[in-house]
Amino acid sequence: MSIDNEQGGKNSMTARKSRLSNTISSQGKIPPQALDLEEAVLGALMLEKDALSAVIDVLKPEVFYNIAHQKIFEAIHILFQKSRPVDILTVTAELRTLGSLEMVGGAYYITNLTNRVASAANIEFHARIISQKYIQRELIRISTEIITNAYEDTTDIFDLLDQAEKGLFEIAQNNLRRDTQKMDDIIKQSLATLEELRTKTDGLTGVPTGFTGLDRITGGWQKQDLVIIAARPAMGKTAFVLTCARNATVDFAKPTVVFSLEMSSVQLVNRLISGEAEIEQEKIRKGNLQEWEWQQLHSKIGRLTEAPLLIDDTPALNIFEFRAKCRRLKSQYDIQLVIVDYLQLMHGKGEGKGGGNREQEIGSISRALKSVAKELDVPVLALSQLSRAVESRPGLQGKRPMLSDLRESGSIEQDADMVLFLYRPEYYGITEDEQGRSQAGIGEVIIAKHRNGETGIVPLKFVGKFVKFTDLEEDFNAPPSSFAADPSAGMYPSQDFEKQSNVIIRPSKMDDYNDDDPPF
């Protein structure tokens, strides 16, 4: 080893101690760090060829506290990308190519790193500690920026909240990733789930919708699914999801939160009261109730009062606020279902920060909704408007919506696990179907996309005066009140299922999608 290299290593150590000394004197505290582990990890990476594969997804150059260590790991990372061997000589040569060799302390310092560790046995554990120290430093940095900006009178408070939420979210997204699971572990989880489902006789695997025909096809709203429910105005979108929320909370005690960006919480509750007490919405809105109706109201809303239903009517909610609220509600109330009414009223960024065109913003919102569904392990139902293309199509039968009618669709169709359309023939003056049956009060739930199951049409009864949906009555060939008890039949009791439940089933349309499209 040359004297110059040795002197360079000593100078590097002196410079590092000087920086630490200055930090201590000026701040009173030094940032979280693990310099000894950084040296040990870098040394191990140059000792064993398989060590880098164990930590390549945990470490990045910026997680190292020492700038010299950042440069050394950057050189190692470049060698890994080029599929070249990683050792003292190759790392030294790469640093010389990058012009960083003298800055890191020369070949002498690199050689000494390999003397810090005997093997790479604990490298993954050490790498995670280094990563944790980096996360602590980032939290301190963001917190300091927030405190500094909060003292400024010219700071826009909503921009500050947005920046704080965005900074913390980026730390979580970039550093707190799930580990890859081995097949045997996944198989064990799958078998445990199957054993649990084996005890169920109703065929429900998710949060029940409360509609028999719909539950037969979907098995309930499934965890981690993003469900888009779209329709033209006045089709009953809010009425449908409120009925779903009521069924989940009142009948099945599943904690549910409704984010209403269009209607106030009092208006939503009045709708729920109307449906529960079966008193006309118009009377409740005006408070024009007879004495017997008051008694009926108080006698029937007891279960509704005790339901674990939460309503948030914050207007112009942005996706950062939405994510933060969902996390808090999941922690406090263990919510099992999230409903958003409706998607086009949300903002992708902070208030007044559009960023790109509206279609791109809607795409970012739909991806964020899917992200929340996966992170919290809950189904997310988001209402969406349809474009006016539905109204422009000729003929009454052409009014039934299709996937291309999604307004500002962008990636909505791509991100959604299910896309449902609500359609009421009566709205367009269609009084009878092909079999001559009356269409008065009939509403169709059209399952246009179902990533994990069948598509089809489920007819329901729309009770306009009570603003709610119900199962069809017996004279409409309504599905039975219970599911098949025959285990061999699965969710579908017989070959005549379509006739029994008045559900039209179509094959899955997943083959219509490009294989290159993202999975969600």
Side-chain angles (χ1 to χ4, degrees):
M1 191 63 63
S2 68
I3 297 176
D4 289 341
N5 286 339
E6 182 176 356
Q7 187 62 36
K10 292 180 180 179
N11 290 338
S12 175
M13 295 293 291
T14 302
R16 190 176 70 187
K17 290 179 180 179
S18 177
R19 288 196 302 270
L20 293 177
S21 177
N22 291 337
T23 304
I24 294 172
S25 61
S26 60
Q27 302 292 332
K29 295 180 180 178
I30 60 173
Q33 57 188 278
L35 293 176
D36 53 342
L37 292 182
E38 291 183 10
E39 294 172 352
V41 166
L42 292 174
L45 292 176
M46 291 183 284
L47 279 179
E48 298 186 15
K49 64 177 182 178
D50 297 328
L52 186 56
S53 300
V55 298
I56 194 65
D57 60 337
V58 178
L59 297 179
K60 296 173 291 184
E62 58 266 27
V63 306
F64 291 88
Y65 180 70
N66 190 326
I67 296 177
H69 294 167
Q70 293 181 11
K71 296 295 183 181
I72 295 171
F73 185 78
E74 182 182 350
I76 292 174
H77 195 271
I78 291 173
L79 291 170
F80 177 81
Q81 290 178 321
K82 295 179 179 178
S83 299
R84 294 179 180 176
V86 177
D87 55 37
I88 297 174
L89 297 179
T90 56
V91 171
T92 302
E94 187 63 35
L95 283 168
R96 185 177 290 111
T97 302
L98 296 173
S100 303
L101 182 58
E102 295 305 319
M103 191 272 283
V104 303
Y108 173 79
Y109 184 70
I110 296 173
T111 303
N112 278 345
L113 288 175
T114 58
N115 296 327
R116 301 284 298 179
V117 62
S119 71
N122 301 316
I123 189 171
E124 187 173 356
F125 180 75
H126 293 162
R128 293 194 179 279
I129 294 177
I130 294 172
S131 180
Q132 289 168 12
K133 297 298 182 183
Y134 168 71
I135 294 172
Q136 288 179 266
R137 294 197 300 272
E138 285 294 284
L139 290 172
I140 292 171
R141 178 184 61 81
I142 292 173
S143 302
T144 302
E145 290 177 359
I146 294 170
I147 292 171
T148 302
N149 292 332
Y151 277 107
E152 295 292 335
D153 293 335
T154 58
T155 301
D156 186 298
I157 189 62
F158 296 104
D159 283 344
L160 182 58
L161 287 172
D162 178 45
Q163 292 170 10
E165 176 73 23
K166 182 179 180 180
L168 293 173
F169 176 68
E170 285 178 350
I171 293 176
Q173 287 290 95
N174 295 333
N175 297 282
L176 303 180
R177 299 184 182 274
R178 294 182 61 185
D179 291 334
T180 304
Q181 295 177 286
K182 294 193 300 181
M183 180 56 73
D184 59 343
D185 293 331
I186 301 174
I187 289 292
K188 290 176 183 177
Q189 294 177 15
S190 179
L191 291 176
T193 302
L194 290 175
E195 287 292 335
E196 182 180 351
L197 296 176
R198 183 182 181 186
T199 62
K200 296 186 177 182
T201 58
D202 55 10
L204 289 172
T205 58
V207 177
T209 69
F211 302 114
T212 311
L214 190 56
D215 279 337
R216 282 181 183 273
I217 295 181
T218 65
W221 308 121
Q222 300 299 313
K223 293 180 179 180
Q224 302 189 10
D225 273 7
L226 172 59
V227 182
I228 299 296
I229 301 171
R232 288 294 293 155
M235 284 293 168
K237 297 187 298 295
T238 302
F240 177 75
V241 293
L242 273 185
T243 305
C244 290
R246 181 266 169 206
N247 294 342
T249 56
V250 174
D251 294 339
F252 299 95
K254 301 288 187 181
T256 299
V257 58
V258 178
F259 290 92
S260 177
L261 286 76
E262 185 176 34
M263 300 176 63
S264 71
S265 57
V266 173
Q267 290 174 319
L268 292 181
V269 169
N270 283 343
R271 285 193 173 200
L272 287 169
I273 291 174
S274 173
E276 193 71 13
E278 296 191 338
I279 299 174
E280 293 181 21
Q281 169 70 13
E282 185 70 14
K283 288 187 175 183
I284 290 180
R285 187 174 65 84
K286 294 180 178 179
N288 185 23
L289 274 65
Q290 301 295 325
E291 184 62 32
W292 66 270
E293 289 174 321
W294 279 108
Q295 295 177 4
Q296 178 174 311
L297 185 150
H298 286 292
S299 66
K300 289 194 173 183
I301 64 172
R303 294 178 66 199
L304 191 61
T305 303
E306 298 172 359
L309 178 60
L310 307 166
I311 298 177
D312 186 310
D313 60 359
T314 305
L317 187 70
N318 69 54
I319 199 63
F320 299 112
E321 295 171 334
F322 170 76
R323 182 182 286 108
K325 288 185 176 185
C326 286
R327 286 170 178 160
R328 184 167 62 251
L329 293 172
K330 181 67 175 179
S331 174
Q332 292 178 343
Y333 302 103
D334 191 26
I335 54 173
Q336 301 296 307
L337 177 64
V338 176
I339 297 174
V340 179
D341 182 14
Y342 60 91
L343 188 150
Q344 277 81 10
L345 291 179
M346 295 188 75
H347 291 288
K349 297 185 178 181
E351 188 174 348
K353 305 286 184 181
N357 61 43
R358 183 57 178 164
E359 185 170 335
Q360 290 174 335
E361 187 176 16
I362 292 295
S364 69
I365 291 171
S366 68
R367 287 190 294 273
L369 292 177
K370 176 61 180 179
S371 167
V372 169
K374 291 193 69 177
E375 178 186 345
L376 301 185
D377 196 31
V378 299
V380 174
L381 276 57
L383 299 188
S384 177
Q385 291 282 18
L386 288 178
S387 68
R388 292 188 177 89
V390 177
E391 312 293 343
S392 62
R393 285 199 290 267
L396 296 178
Q397 295 302 323
K399 305 303 182 184
R400 185 174 273 114
M402 58 186 69
L403 286 172
S404 59
D405 294 327
L406 281 171
R407 183 179 174 186
E408 297 168 323
S409 57
S411 63
I412 293 178
E413 178 185 340
Q414 175 180 286
D415 295 330
D417 297 279
M418 289 181 65
V419 177
L420 308 183
F421 295 123
L422 299 182
Y423 170 68
R424 292 195 294 115
E426 186 180 22
Y427 180 83
Y428 294 106
I430 301 175
T431 58
E432 292 184 349
D433 63 7
E434 293 81 356
Q435 285 75 38
R437 293 179 297 185
S438 172
Q439 294 296 289
I442 299 298
E444 295 180 357
V445 178
I446 304 169
I447 306 175
K449 175 186 176 182
H450 191 186
R451 179 167 281 143
N452 301 308
E454 305 285 351
T455 59
I457 300 176
V458 181
L460 298 176
K461 183 72 173 178
F462 177 68
V463 188
K465 61 182 179 179
F466 301 147
V467 202
K468 69 175 182 179
F469 283 83
T470 64
D471 274 333
L472 286 176
E473 298 159 358
E474 290 302 324
D475 55 2
F476 284 92
N477 295 320
S481 58
S482 60
F483 289 85
D486 181 8
S488 64
M491 286 185 61
Y492 307 105
S494 73
Q495 297 297 324
D496 296 325
F497 165 69
E498 297 178 15
K499 297 179 181 179
Q500 293 179 15
S501 62
N502 202 24
V503 174
I504 303 171
I505 295 180
R506 302 190 183 102
S508 175
K509 293 187 177 181
M510 282 305 297
D511 291 338
D512 295 343
Y513 294 89
N514 194 319
D515 289 338
D516 295 331
D517 287 341
F520 50 79

